[in-house]
Amino acid sequence: MESLFTTTDVLLITKIAQKDQSALSALYDRYGKIIYAIAFKSLKSPEESEEVVLDVFAQVWRIAERYDTQKGRVDTWLFTIARSRILDRLRKLQRTHVSTTFSLDTTEIQPKADNVDLFESVFIAERRSRVIAAMKKLPDEQRLVIELAYYQGLTQSQIAEVTGVSLGTVKTRIRLGLKKLQSIFVTEEEF
């Protein structure tokens, strides 16, 4: 059954390479919903996910003749294209929404308990102000990964995926950012 499915996919790609629109439509019917679901899982946006699906099939239309059966199955090829388009979208969203989506907002560190006494509330507010001021002193790339880790709760692997940088770079940026924050607080305590 799987070999028949794979053979059908290869036949569709061959026809798409010959600019057969009905073959593209059949491939879309077969994989469009799956690619949408994968995109939505990462992007959390119906509009962005639909754009990814359209981008994937537009790219398939343009480069179908480059598909090589020796390098892998059609579905693997499609999912690789989809992954690339999803990462492109995530990078674009990160560039355009860094200040709004990932920016440290004072409301994100608000005390949640109603039973906090006045002195503790003032202490927390002062500490929050110090953290926000210190975070603003970090380079943008270090501040971004720290905010994603500590305020968005993402793992280092998720941060690498969202930002499009390697896992090693994410780890280095977090480490350097935390060291810089530590030195900022140590310097403030000396005065």
Side-chain angles (χ1 to χ4, degrees):
M1 181 79 176
E2 185 176 301
S3 63
L4 176 64
F5 196 65
T6 304
T7 304
T8 305
D9 287 349
V10 172
L11 182 60
L12 288 174
I13 291 294
T14 304
K15 288 182 177 183
I16 292 168
Q18 299 165 354
K19 302 304 181 198
D20 182 337
Q21 291 181 351
S22 64
L24 181 67
S25 178
L27 193 70
Y28 180 91
D29 290 344
R30 183 171 286 182
Y31 290 104
K33 289 180 182 176
I34 298 168
I35 292 171
Y36 176 88
I38 293 168
F40 189 81
K41 185 175 181 184
S42 295
L43 298 169
K44 310 275 192 278
S45 163
E47 296 82 12
E48 292 294 333
S49 301
E50 288 169 7
E51 287 293 325
V52 165
V53 173
L54 293 175
D55 289 348
V56 167
F57 286 97
Q59 185 171 355
V60 167
W61 180 256
R62 287 190 311 273
I63 67 167
E65 69 279 353
R66 293 189 210 160
Y67 170 72
D68 182 357
T69 56
Q70 301 301 313
K71 292 185 178 179
R73 297 176 4 176
V74 171
D75 58 352
T76 304
W77 182 64
L78 286 172
F79 297 142
T80 301
I81 294 171
R83 181 181 181 276
S84 180
R85 297 291 71 78
I86 291 166
L87 290 173
D88 289 347
R89 288 272 168 195
L90 286 170
R91 286 184 198 111
K92 179 183 171 200
L93 290 170
Q94 183 234 335
R95 282 192 304 269
T96 58
H97 295 12
V98 165
S99 60
T100 57
T101 306
F102 300 126
S103 79
L104 182 61
D105 188 353
T106 55
T107 59
E108 293 174 358
I109 320 173
Q110 293 289 344
K112 301 294 184 207
D114 293 330
N115 60 352
V116 175
D117 68 27
L118 182 58
F119 293 110
E120 187 175 353
S121 181
V122 170
F123 176 75
I124 290 171
E126 182 182 325
R127 188 178 342 158
R128 183 177 55 246
S129 311
R130 288 181 60 207
V131 169
I132 292 168
M135 291 289 287
K136 288 180 181 177
K137 294 178 183 177
L138 293 178
D140 290 342
E141 58 276 353
Q142 291 174 8
R143 183 175 63 245
L144 174 64
V145 294
I146 289 173
E147 288 175 359
L148 290 172
Y150 291 94
Y151 298 106
Q152 301 291 327
L154 299 182
T155 66
Q156 291 176 340
S157 297
Q158 290 170 325
I159 294 168
E161 197 173 306
V162 168
T163 60
V165 299
S166 72
L167 180 59
T169 302
V170 169
K171 289 179 178 184
T172 301
R173 287 179 180 173
I174 289 175
R175 184 174 38 80
L176 292 173
L178 291 175
K179 280 186 176 182
K180 184 158 184 159
L181 285 173
Q182 183 181 21
S183 70
I184 290 169
F185 289 124
V186 167
T187 304
E188 286 179 1
E189 289 173 7
E190 290 175 356
F191 290 105

